[in-house]
């Protein structure tokens, strides 16, 4: 599986935007970029995914570099509830629902009131 | 609607005991995954079912780990002769087959502590 690298941690202030970076220089043309997050004492939850174009949903935005070797998850207004570990994951679209998720250590986001 | 549920939420076992962890996936979800999460680490894949067929068990750490999903819905992860290194959170996830990027829905996990 292609590997992703993320900073260990990041801090933000409540109600400010947050940009969480992810590098995936060995991404292949068939890899989707997925983001999941894990709140304390809970299982991971899906946030967003994309292939080439930037994506928006109710939770976040995903900005994908033109060469696809990096991406950024954007939380437009951080809340205390957004404090979690965020995982950037590559997933081969050819296998779709059959493919496991390969998590790294993720980035721990802290939100200051 | 109901999400993925797991039971028990917490389990304490003495070294050498057998344990069984249950996962109830979202109704109608064909795919079911088990992951193991050690403290401070991301989840690691254990095994995958498509309906009742176990298509990938490459992540099971030893032959003491066994998983089944006999009727294609509820799944059980069994660990025989538990060891201290088995202490972890065991997560179950399910997904539908619709869409190439089918998201996985996770349960809250079972925290296993082996003493």
């Amino acid at each position: 599986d292609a590997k992703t690298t993320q900073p260990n941690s990041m801090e933000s202030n409540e109600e400010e935007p947050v940009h969480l970076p992810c590098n995936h220089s060995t991404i292949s043309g068939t890899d989707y970029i997925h983001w999941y997050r894990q709140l304390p004492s809970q299982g991971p939850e899906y946030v967003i995914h994309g292939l080439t174009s930037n994506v928006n949903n109710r939770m976040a935005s995903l900005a994908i570099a033109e060469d696809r070797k990096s991406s950024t998850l954007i939380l437009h207004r951080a809340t205390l509830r957004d404090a979690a570990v965020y995982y950037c994951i590559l997933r081969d679209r050819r296998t779709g629902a059959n493919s496991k998720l390969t998590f790294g250590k993720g980035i721990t986001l802290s939100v200051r009131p | 609607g109901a999400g993925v549920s797991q039971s028990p939420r917490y389990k304490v076992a003495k070294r050498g005991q057998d344990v069984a962890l249950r996962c109830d996936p979202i109704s109608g979800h064909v795919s079911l995954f088990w992951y193991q999460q050690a403290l401070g680490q991301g989840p690691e894949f254990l095994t995958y079912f498509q309906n009742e067929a176990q298509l990938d068990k490459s992540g099971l750490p030893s032959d003491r780990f066994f998983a089944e999903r006999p009727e294609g819905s509820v799944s059980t992860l069994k660990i025989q002769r538990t060891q201290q290194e088995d202490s972890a959170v065991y997560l179950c996830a399910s997904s539908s087959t619709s869409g190439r990027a089918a998201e996985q829905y996770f349960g809250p996990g079972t925290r296993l502590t082996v003493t």
Side-chain angles (χ1 to χ4, degrees), chain A residues 32 34 36 38 41 43-44 46 49 87 91 93 96-101 103-105, chain B residues 31 33 35 37 41-43 45 48 50 91 95-97 100-104 106-107:
Chain A
Y32 276 116
H34 284 247
Y36 280 72
Q38 188 170 22
S41 300
Y46 168 83
H49 78 275
Y87 297 98
R91 196 172 181 207
R93 66 174 177 163
N98 299 332
S99 64
K100 64 188 179 188
L101 297 172
F103 293 83
K105 284 195 172 183
Chain B
S31 300
F33 300 81
Y35 295 85
Q37 186 170 24
Q41 305 295 316
F45 170 77
Y48 161 63
Q50 186 177 88
L91 295 160
S95 70
S96 70
T97 55
R100 293 185 180 276
E103 62 185 270
Q104 292 186 13
F106 284 80

Side-chain angles (χ1 to χ4, degrees), chain A residues 2 11 15-16 37 53 55 58 89 92 94-95 100:
Chain A
E11 285 190 342
E15 298 188 3
E16 290 186 357
R37 73 177 185 181
S53 303
V55 184
R58 62 174 181 82
I89 298 167
D92 193 331
R94 292 171 296 181
T95 47
K100 64 188 179 188

Side-chain angles (χ1 to χ4, degrees), chain A residues 37-75:
Chain A
R37 73 177 185 181
Q38 188 170 22
L39 302 171
S41 300
Q42 295 188 25
E45 64 174 344
Y46 168 83
V47 177
I48 200 167
H49 78 275
L51 187 62
T52 55
S53 303
N54 295 344
V55 184
N56 299 297
N57 68 19
R58 62 174 181 82
M59 288 182 73
S61 296
L62 177 60
I64 301 173
E66 199 168 327
D67 63 4
R68 301 208 326 125
K69 292 186 177 183
S70 66
S71 60
T72 303
L73 180 71
I74 302 166
L75 307 180

Side-chain angles (χ1 to χ4, degrees), chain B residues 47-106:
Chain B
T47 188
Y48 161 63
F49 289 86
Q50 186 177 88
N51 295 306
E52 68 277 5
Q54 189 175 17
L55 299 185
D56 186 350
K57 50 183 181 179
S58 62
L60 295 176
S62 77
D63 58 8
R64 296 185 296 103
F65 286 70
F66 171 76
E68 60 184 5
R69 193 186 185 199
E71 297 179 359
S73 55
V74 171
S75 177
T76 304
L77 177 67
K78 298 179 179 177
I79 309 173
Q80 297 176 324
R81 305 181 303 280
T82 52
Q83 304 294 315
Q84 284 195 317
E85 61 263 27
D86 300 334
S87 295
V89 174
Y90 291 85
L91 295 160
C92 174
S94 69
S95 70
S96 70
T97 55
S98 60
R100 293 185 180 276
E103 62 185 270
Q104 292 186 13
Y105 295 83
F106 284 80

